[in-house]
Amino acid sequence: MNEPTATGIGASLRRIEDHRFITGRGKYTDDIQRHGQVHAYLLRSNLAHGEIRHIDTAQAKQAPGVLAVFTGADLRADGIGDLPVGWMTTNIDGTLMFIPPHPVLAVDRVRHVGDPIAVIIAATLSQAKDAAELIEFDISDLPAVANIDRATAAGAPLVWDGAAHNTAFHWQVGNSAAVEAAFARAHHITRIDLVNNRMVANAMEPRVAIGEFDEGRGEYLLHLSSQNPHVARILLATATLKVPEHKIRVISPDVGGGFGSKAMHYAEEVIVLWSAKKIGRPVKWTSERSEAFLSDRHGRDHKTHAELALDANGKFLALRASTIANLGAYYSTFGPAIPTFYSAPLLVGTYAIPAAYCDVRGVFTNTVPVDAYRGAGRPEAAYVIERLVDQAAHEVGLDPAEIRRRNFIPPDAFPYDNPLGAQYDSGNFGVGLEKALALADYAGFEPRRAAAKARGKLRGIGMSSYIEACGAGPSKIIMAAGAGSGMFESATIRVNPSGSVVVVTGTHSHGQGHETTFAQVVSDKLGIPIHSIEIVHGDTGRSAFGLGTVGSRSLAVGGGAIIKALDKVIAKGKRIASYILEAAESDILFENGRFVVAGTDKGISFPEIAFTAHAPAKFPSDEIEPGLEETAFFDPANFTFPAGLHICELEVDPQTGATEVLAYTVVDDFGNVINPMIVEGQVHGGTVQGIGQALLENCVYDPDTAQLLSGSFMDYCMPRADNLPNFLVDYIVTPSPHNPLGVKGCGEAGAIAAPPAVMNAMMNALRPAGVTELSMPATPLKVWQALRAAHA
Amino acid sequence: MSITVSLQVNGRNVSETLEPQTLLVDFLRNHLRLTGTHVGCDTSQCGACVVHVDGLAVKSCTLLAAQAHGTQVTTIEGLETEGRLHPVQEAFRSEHGLQCGFCTPGMIMSAVALLRRNPTPTEAQVREGLEGNICRCTGYHNIVKAILTASTHMPAQSAQASRS
């Protein structure tokens, strides 16, 4: 266990936060017990669609231990607002999307299984559950639509009376006239129909919320398992709870994973705060796993038809795509943004495609709302273009590597304006491809296929070349596209008199290792030891503001704010040092943790300046304020665009349909890398979520009743250790020009690139056996059926 | 109706009066405030709640506290000896075998039991041995690596010591 001793930028420093987790001393929200706390249990609809005719809570209110039972009518009477949607999508005709109400507790109708109807608050959770059994309700069963096909069928029942054909919006991007002209002169057109299967994020820690109200001060305190506590606070203040923002404090302590699903504003957050005030006790709600399946926002769930026009040399001329996205029964906080702005502009991938067009129709169904899940729109885009390119290669008789080589955006074309409105910052796709091919021994594959065949196995190799947009966000760009607010980031550097440093960030770490990575940046920049630095996050009472950790933004945006704040600290340190060192401020340099007079050996250390700043006798405190604390805000000029290449090699047993992933190679371009160990870990985890989507995971509703069929870990197949290979991960580096660290973001890349890489490998294995199409997840049953059908 | 349950937890004798339906995991978390043992599901699938009962790895959500009466229970909080990390804990840190940390206590407790049964496992045996523990963050690569690393750093007496 030899560990590197370096701690600066580029070092695989072991994580500072690990000790509390490996000794059982992490503090997750459910580990917190507030004095006098009582428990909330939510009665949820067991019907997918129904009219609430009558709810009688009288008997439940009398049950042992029960303090209160509330329904949607109680919240509405008290002025509680609807759950808001934070993104406005515009229809092709210029009108705004249809916006239905989203009550915190259902009022007149339930619209999906799991829609909350009432909350029971009792001294113990079991008392609350027992009392829930005593609530009498009469809900008429209305016809429900369970999926995209049912929602878009002629004469389909409506989720919302005002949304004809269950259409929420119909949006477009690109130049359809240019696309049609290019298709008209195409030598070859490849067409594909794809389903991006519905996913459940399943962070291992279920959501938890503890609300309390300080009667004396009139202040609310929410402990919340969240990726972005400031977002929860601002939406509580302005949309749902409607109390002044400064009267709400949200603390998100250790959070056991998020993957997008803990970024939205949820009903339970409103309920625990509002009811805590009502009954005068802290109220705790802890989701059970089955409840999480019914209430956490789901991900993906797209159907896409896409076409690629090629010339006689296999060069891409144009792309057109049409997507239908399932949004669920209501808009989730970012729901409309995911299939539109965060997906479609990346449909052209890493290729120089002169013309492109895409339209996206969002539809309502009687299912849990759909929102961001790791990758959030970019996996859907990558899946379309990378399956399409592989299919094209097969049809025109080019090797999948060669067709990509011929079409990559060349390295001298950056910044590159793609035809769907995204401006890629930097990249070198060809170099990444060749590196990955070499690492995976792509050239030596055919003998391995032959050897597998001799053993009765079907072996395949497949790749995907992904690009994604990270670092949300450039406020001007996202607000022009429909965002309700900007997405800059804040950082405060507080230097203590003894020279130790507290860094307060508006991002949030729930597995990403910010306490280590951010400390490395600060240590490197200030030249102070890593143990002198404390990273603080997850508390609206301590950080200026922040948009949390979503969309692989924390280092690109939050790191930018840290660098800006550090620059201010150093600038002030130089002013103070100029008095101590009796030199002009312009002659003071800051090097290796010391303020020095250029060209001399005179200098003073950072801790000495920290102390001097707090003992302002040696500099004029009317000119320079005492103390050493700086806050900075950073709003990037544009997104960053990580890219890379995944190669998957697998074998299928045709007797059983079972697939084994045997080798997996990744070459990423994340720009500069601060901690390679942590980055690699992010790649492993993301890639396994992508392999899970391709081979194992599927969120399924019964098509007739819209009952959730995959509602537990017994039914929803989570990837386990024995389903998976080891990974070979390497890098190329083209720094992003859009932030001071030159970083791009690494959290979601694996989940974006892996599904098409695995499915392209699968098709490579199965095409020789006559299989022409296969959808995700490629379970043993589905593979076996496809092989049987091909032989029939 | 309440019952009295007496057992040894991390070497200390404890005796508590409980509702009879109290699960071992709730007893550990809510009564003894040993919150390192986590609850990640409600179908005994995820393994975040794994503890040792008389030296065997057990999902503490599947056991009533009453069933643990008279046993010796070790939780993640009791794995260190004399302030020194267990080699498996140390290896999880050195090989980056954790991210959000939520599954980690259960993973570590399963891994310690696995190495006790088989001190020199192959990679395939480690992967098979983790079948009852779900991690959503790491993709398992570094967890497997950590357990293999620990297997080469585990003195025989350490494996013995954690049995108690």
Side-chain angles (χ1 to χ4, degrees), chain B residues 16-44:
Chain B
E16 291 260 341
T17 304
L18 305 170
E19 294 295 307
Q21 73 271 25
T22 306
L23 295 170
L24 178 59
V25 66
D26 292 330
F27 172 67
L28 294 169
R29 285 181 57 79
N30 300 330
H31 293 257
L32 302 185
R33 302 296 291 136
L34 293 169
T35 55
T37 302
H38 296 149
V39 179
C41 75
D42 45 15
T43 52
S44 294

Side-chain angles (χ1 to χ4, degrees), chain A residues 14-15 31 290 719-720, chain B residues 33 42 45 89 94 99 140:
Chain A
R14 293 327 191 238
R15 297 202 320 174
D31 300 341
S290 308
R720 298 184 190 235
Chain B
R33 302 296 291 136
D42 45 15
Q45 291 286 306
Q89 289 173 302
S94 69
Q99 290 180 24
Y140 305 98

Side-chain angles (χ1 to χ4, degrees), chain A residues 287-353:
Chain A
S287 176
E288 296 183 358
R289 181 58 60 186
S290 308
E291 193 175 13
F293 275 99
L294 293 173
S295 65
D296 288 5
R297 302 313 182 220
H298 292 176
R300 315 284 193 258
D301 205 347
H302 289 191
K303 285 189 77 169
T304 297
H305 175 80
E307 300 183 356
L308 185 65
L310 297 90
D311 73 9
N313 297 316
K315 292 273 278 183
F316 305 154
L317 300 173
L319 173 137
R320 63 186 169 207
S322 186
T323 289
I324 304 176
N326 187 347
L327 302 166
Y330 307 91
Y331 289 130
S332 179
T333 315
F334 312 109
I338 307 307
T340 54
F341 180 74
Y342 283 106
S343 186
L346 293 161
L347 276 169
V348 289
T350 50
Y351 311 105
I353 306 180

